[in-house]
Amino acid sequence: NPTIRVQSIKICVTHLYRVLIASELPPNSGQLKAHCASKDDDLGIHYLDPDQSFLWKFCEDYWRRTLYFCHFWWGQRQISFDAFNSETQGGGRVLNLIGWYAKEDGIYYYDDDSPIPMTKKYDW
């Protein structure tokens, strides 16, 4: 008997967003510990070596109140921030990818709707 694999397809009434968390920390500088969640969806803790990333996708809720926040730790440094907020990033904007990049000097933001490749948003 042949094995049949069915890939789940996510269909959204609103827009589907993808958020990438990436470590662009220096080699041999330790792991980035990242915990991201929303009110309804805890994505768990991820330990990322330099040049590793974690991606998740979700549908913005119908009332456009979706909020995901992240907490990053790197050695003694840490920071918390909103990784996705419908009020500022959603609401019908067609962003296929939102990226948060941990670098030695801070946290950088990217979205594929911006003319600027990457913007530093936070210092450690």
Side-chain angles (χ1 to χ4, degrees):
N1 291 343
T3 302
I4 299 173
R5 288 194 179 157
V6 177
Q7 182 178 5
S8 70
I9 299 172
K10 191 163 198 145
I11 298 173
C12 298
V13 174
T14 58
H15 191 70
L16 175 70
Y17 291 94
R18 294 180 308 141
V19 177
L20 176 77
I21 303 297
S23 172
E24 292 190 352
L25 297 168
N28 303 316
S29 67
Q31 290 181 316
L32 173 70
K33 177 181 173 184
H35 179 226
C36 299
S38 71
K39 182 180 81 167
D40 302 315
D41 192 13
D42 189 333
L43 303 171
I45 296 174
H46 297 268
Y47 295 90
L48 303 176
D49 289 320
D51 297 322
Q52 284 188 326
S53 62
F54 166 68
L55 175 84
W56 78 92
K57 50 189 166 181
F58 59 93
C59 298
E60 183 177 29
D61 81 359
Y62 183 77
W63 297 274
R64 294 190 163 103
R65 297 177 308 200
T66 305
L67 173 66
Y68 277 91
F69 55 90
C70 291
H71 193 141
F72 285 2
W73 295 265
W74 179 47
Q76 299 299 313
R77 302 170 186 184
Q78 61 177 307
I79 188 166
S80 295
F81 59 92
D82 290 348
F84 179 87
N85 185 332
S86 284
E87 290 182 12
T88 55
Q89 294 160 303
R93 282 182 68 198
V94 181
L95 303 176
N96 293 313
L97 180 66
I98 295 165
W100 292 98
Y101 300 86
K103 296 181 180 244
E104 189 171 18
D105 67 333
I107 309 302
Y108 288 73
Y109 173 79
Y110 163 84
D111 72 49
D112 56 7
D113 189 40
S114 173
I116 301 168
M118 199 178 293
T119 306
K120 185 177 181 184
K121 289 287 190 178
Y122 306 107
D123 290 318
W124 281 105

